Amino acid sequence: AQRVTQPEKLLSVFKGAPVELKCNYSYSGSPELFWYVQYSRQRLQLLLRHISRESIKGFTADLNKGETSFHLKKPFAQEEDSAMYYCALRPGDKLIFGTGTRLQVFP
Amino acid sequence: NAGVTQTPKFQVLKTGQSMTLQCAQDMNHNSMYWYRQDPGMGLRLIYYSASEGTTDKGEVPNGYNVSRLNKREFSLRLESAAPSQTSVYFCASSETRANTGELFFGEGSRLTVL
């Protein structure tokens, strides 16, 4: 079965604290994984993709095939990081999303 | 630079009424998608179209029909709306999977079925 699991609905941290948003996947093939973000009153947009191994806005995510995880991390959270974050898996021509984690960063 | 445009942005229906959500993209993308977003459920794929002339069911297709009218347009139809279809609907488009896989989303259409 193809599935993306984000166990936390809400994650609240203070500014400057480290952040880790968890994502686990279930897929028998070679996974292609993404993180999307939806800021308040903005469209859902791509944050980063595992294949690029890039850091965007200070966020990184490493694919761990052994643990079937793709956790999103940032060492020092900022207030502007407050948003809804979705992990997504691409099997074929479609994208399957997790249930999302709302990140709240307090001043 | 419109990207993906959805209409209408808001709609209230009575149970049993029908309506069509329209979506158009101006990026010459091959693939288009319809998702619904519900609290605690995330985004769930309703239907998608990998290329003009083809459509496929996603995770939650029941109660919906789609039409890929041409390369630009992909509409979603509710033939007999039910309260369970109250949701925010998002249209998206992307290049073929040979490319980056990035989806570009519309602003969403909020549908309430009474």
Side-chain angles (χ1 to χ4, degrees), chain A residues 39-50:
Chain A
Y39 299 104
S40 179
R41 289 183 291 278
Q42 292 189 27
R43 302 183 187 212
L44 192 66
Q45 58 187 285
L46 178 67
L47 179 62
L48 54 80
R49 53 180 77 92
H50 91 272

Side-chain angles (χ1 to χ4, degrees), chain A residues 13-75:
Chain A
V13 300
F14 286 101
K15 177 183 174 181
V19 168
E20 181 177 75
L21 288 83
K22 291 184 167 49
C23 172
N24 289 91
Y25 66 91
S26 173
Y27 182 54
S28 57
S30 184
E32 294 181 66
L33 288 150
F34 307 82
W35 276 99
Y36 277 74
V37 60
Q38 189 174 25
Y39 299 104
S40 179
R41 289 183 291 278
Q42 292 189 27
R43 302 183 187 212
L44 192 66
Q45 58 187 285
L46 178 67
L47 179 62
L48 54 80
R49 53 180 77 92
H50 91 272
I51 197 168
S52 301
R53 301 183 67 82
E54 57 199 344
S55 174
I56 303 293
K57 299 184 179 183
F59 285 98
T60 59
D62 291 319
L63 176 61
N64 186 323
K65 291 186 179 180
E67 296 182 357
T68 59
S69 68
F70 187 56
H71 302 328
L72 184 67
K73 300 178 184 179
K74 185 169 183 177

Side-chain angles (χ1 to χ4, degrees), chain B residues 85-107:
Chain B
Q85 294 177 303
T86 293
S87 186
V88 181
Y89 291 85
F90 287 95
C91 178
S93 70
S94 73
E95 269 294 352
T96 60
R97 73 179 310 278
N99 209 315
T100 64
E102 179 176 2
L103 265 62
F104 293 84
F105 283 83
E107 294 181 301

Side-chain angles (χ1 to χ4, degrees), chain A residues 11 13 15-17 19 21 37-39 47 56-59 72 74-85 101-105:
Chain A
L11 184 63
V13 300
K15 177 183 174 181
V19 168
L21 288 83
V37 60
Q38 189 174 25
Y39 299 104
L47 179 62
I56 303 293
K57 299 184 179 183
F59 285 98
L72 184 67
K74 185 169 183 177
F76 307 103
Q78 303 299 314
E79 290 179 68
E80 55 266 29
D81 296 328
S82 294
M84 193 74 180
Y85 292 81
T101 298
R102 179 167 297 283
L103 175 63
Q104 289 182 330
V105 182

